[in-house]
Amino acid sequence: MQVIVIGAGVVGVATAHYLRAAGCEVTVLEQLDGPATETSFANAGQVSPGYAAPWAAPGIPWKAVKWLTQPHSPLKIRPDGSLFQLSWMARMLANCTHSAYERNKGRMVPLAEYSRDCLRDLREELDLQYEQRSLGTLQVFRTAKQLEAAQRDSDILSAIGVPNHLLDAQGLVEVEPALARVPGKLVGALQLPNDETGDCKMFTDKLAARCEAAGVVFRYGVTVERLIAANQQIKQVQLKGGEVLNADHVVLAAGCTSRALALPLGLDLPVYPVKGYSLTIPLKNADAAPRSTVLDESYKIALTRFDSRLRVGGMAEVAGYDRHLDMGRVATLAMVTNDLFPDAGDTSKGEPWTGLRPMTPDGTPLVGGTRYPNLWLNTGHGTLGWTMACGSGRVLADLITKKTPEIESSGLALARY
């Protein structure tokens, strides 16, 4: 069975690995010059199943209004002139109910938990090292209201079997001792002890090399112009320049560009580019840095520890395909770093980055088939591509090779829209 995977981010490479392990002949097409060169390049570094939750949540519309007036707002919205932006935002608002939030989180967390377990198995099987840590995630709260609201998330996590602990100000310092240097700033935290961290770019590079050694063909610097369909089947993949490729199955794992490739086929993928930022800071005092990942609930920013670096990432801009690096947003990342971990590193020496996250209105990725029996989707993971990549890749490989996935996958398909 010949399969073409479009996209060599962490999701596409993980998909290629599991397809090859299942005996498929796999070719990966990537328009950039290597794996994990765009959205997967410098993400926040979290593998956070316990934090897998949709952005569409009760109370978010009112919070969004307030955020838009704040100088260090976690959210910016700029009209891009498209009806798609308006319809996507309307769909997201429609998911900001308690019932929708619980349904969507109930789909996301099992996939994320499964994916972390797949990642652990893969790491052991292939002896992959990517500056990983298995010390959990600590979501910290600056107000009593935030801590009170966290009880609802804790209850949902407990109901689906995800270990978590609500901590007071003293308890969070026991988990992240460096926070003792900023007394009085935080009132409590939600600890997710089974979460992990790691450099996504490093992992993807190493997995791609193992895939290539196993026979996967990677073609970089090639642009897919269109998918050619006939009789409700994808017959060929046409590249820029006229080259045409044949395959038994095609997987769209091209992040935000997946939508443009699907539209001519009559498939309206609800995947919108939401821009995020990161800052990678060299450590100068390891004892003053977090041991794992700390999530600042007020600013929606994650601070993740690598071996000798601190990766700070977050924020959201709903502004189309704009890739402009706004240094004001980078300044927010530096501000939060200096506020919580003032002695950890020199933020003026940090390396800034921005990338587009492919996000669905309900937060749940699109993993599964389409009305074309040989066209498959693995996109729309939003901020959780690194968290969900291995599980999504394995689920999709099982579906393509007609195996029953180990987790329920029907709620991940495009059919829910």
Side-chain angles (χ1 to χ4, degrees):
M1 183 186 297
Q2 295 184 330
V3 185
I4 288 177
V5 177
I6 302 174
V10 66
V11 172
V13 173
T15 304
H17 165 78
Y18 287 109
L19 284 167
R20 183 61 186 139
C24 299
E25 298 295 324
V26 184
T27 298
V28 179
L29 306 177
E30 170 56 54
Q31 63 181 349
L32 299 178
D33 59 4
T37 312
E38 199 162 0
T39 305
S40 303
F41 182 76
N43 63 24
Q46 309 157 248
V47 178
S48 300
Y51 197 66
W55 285 12
I60 285 295
W62 175 237
K63 286 182 181 178
V65 172
K66 293 192 293 183
W67 284 335
L68 293 176
T69 65
Q70 296 174 0
H72 293 291
S73 167
L75 173 67
K76 278 189 177 181
I77 299 174
R78 293 201 307 273
D80 66 5
S82 72
L83 289 176
F84 175 54
Q85 184 191 48
L86 297 176
S87 66
W88 186 88
M89 291 174 63
R91 281 178 165 180
M92 186 176 183
L93 288 173
N95 277 277
C96 292
T97 65
H98 287 288
S99 59
Y101 179 80
E102 291 187 15
R103 179 192 65 230
N104 296 329
K105 190 176 180 71
R107 290 169 173 168
M108 296 169 70
V109 172
L111 174 61
E113 290 270 312
Y114 176 64
S115 188
R116 182 207 51 226
D117 294 344
C118 290
L119 172 63
R120 288 174 174 172
D121 291 343
L122 198 58
R123 180 169 68 224
E124 182 176 348
E125 174 191 350
L126 301 180
D127 190 27
L128 299 175
Q129 302 299 313
Y130 45 92
E131 298 191 16
Q132 70 271 14
R133 291 173 177 241
S134 301
L135 297 173
T137 296
L138 191 70
Q139 183 183 9
V140 297
F141 307 114
R142 295 173 182 264
T143 69
K145 187 175 181 180
Q146 289 174 344
L147 183 60
E148 181 182 347
Q151 182 65 61
R152 183 173 62 252
D153 274 342
S154 176
D155 291 342
I156 294 173
L157 290 168
S158 296
I160 57 180
V162 178
N164 68 93
H165 310 290
L166 277 175
L167 307 172
D168 59 16
Q170 179 58 41
L172 68 86
V173 169
E174 293 173 6
V175 175
E176 283 289 359
L179 290 172
R181 298 167 182 257
V182 288
K185 288 187 183 291
L186 304 171
V187 300
L190 177 64
Q191 183 196 19
L192 305 163
N194 285 352
D195 287 2
E196 299 191 357
T197 62
D199 188 320
C200 181
K201 166 65 173 171
M202 190 180 297
F203 169 85
T204 310
D205 283 346
K206 292 186 175 184
L207 183 59
R210 295 299 185 93
C211 286
E212 199 163 18
V216 175
V217 175
F218 286 85
R219 295 188 59 182
Y220 299 114
V222 297
T223 299
V224 176
E225 282 202 329
R226 65 181 181 124
L227 306 179
I228 301 172
N231 299 321
Q232 288 300 302
Q233 294 274 338
I234 304 302
K235 296 297 184 181
Q236 294 173 314
V237 176
Q238 181 176 317
L239 305 181
K240 185 176 181 180
E243 184 180 357
V244 173
L245 305 176
N246 298 305
D248 298 309
H249 294 271
V250 176
V251 177
L252 274 179
C256 297
T257 62
S258 299
R259 173 177 165 79
L261 290 170
L263 269 177
L265 301 171
L267 298 174
D268 186 4
L269 307 188
V271 176
Y272 190 85
V274 177
K275 184 161 68 171
Y277 292 82
S278 75
L279 186 64
T280 305
I281 304 164
L283 292 180
K284 65 179 182 182
N285 183 352
D287 291 336
R291 300 186 309 144
S292 188
T293 289
V294 171
L295 289 167
D296 188 323
E297 174 63 15
S298 295
Y299 296 98
K300 304 295 184 183
I301 285 173
L303 305 97
T304 297
R305 170 73 175 271
F306 295 152
D307 286 357
S308 59
R309 299 168 295 151
L310 184 62
R311 172 72 52 75
V312 188
M315 296 180 293
E317 289 187 12
V318 182
Y321 291 85
D322 172 28
R323 290 176 168 82
H324 169 70
L325 184 63
D326 183 341
M327 295 308 294
R329 307 297 272 166
V330 175
T332 296
L333 298 177
M335 182 275 294
V336 172
T337 304
N338 291 327
D339 190 51
L340 292 180
F341 299 98
D343 303 315
D346 185 350
T347 55
S348 68
K349 296 179 180 178
E351 297 180 8
W353 174 87
T354 187
L356 302 178
R357 313 177 184 108
M359 185 165 287
T360 63
D362 65 5
T364 307
L366 299 174
V367 183
T370 68
R371 69 168 182 258
Y372 296 86
N374 65 334
L375 177 63
W376 304 83
L377 304 176
N378 203 355
T379 187
H381 296 75
T383 58
L384 295 166
W386 180 205
T387 295
M388 295 181 169
C390 292
S392 297
R394 186 164 182 179
V395 165
L396 197 64
D398 285 343
L399 291 171
I400 291 172
T401 57
K402 300 189 183 303
K403 298 177 183 176
T404 301
E406 295 179 336
I407 62 169
E408 174 58 45
S409 63
S410 59
L412 307 176
L414 178 62
R416 72 180 186 271
Y417 286 99

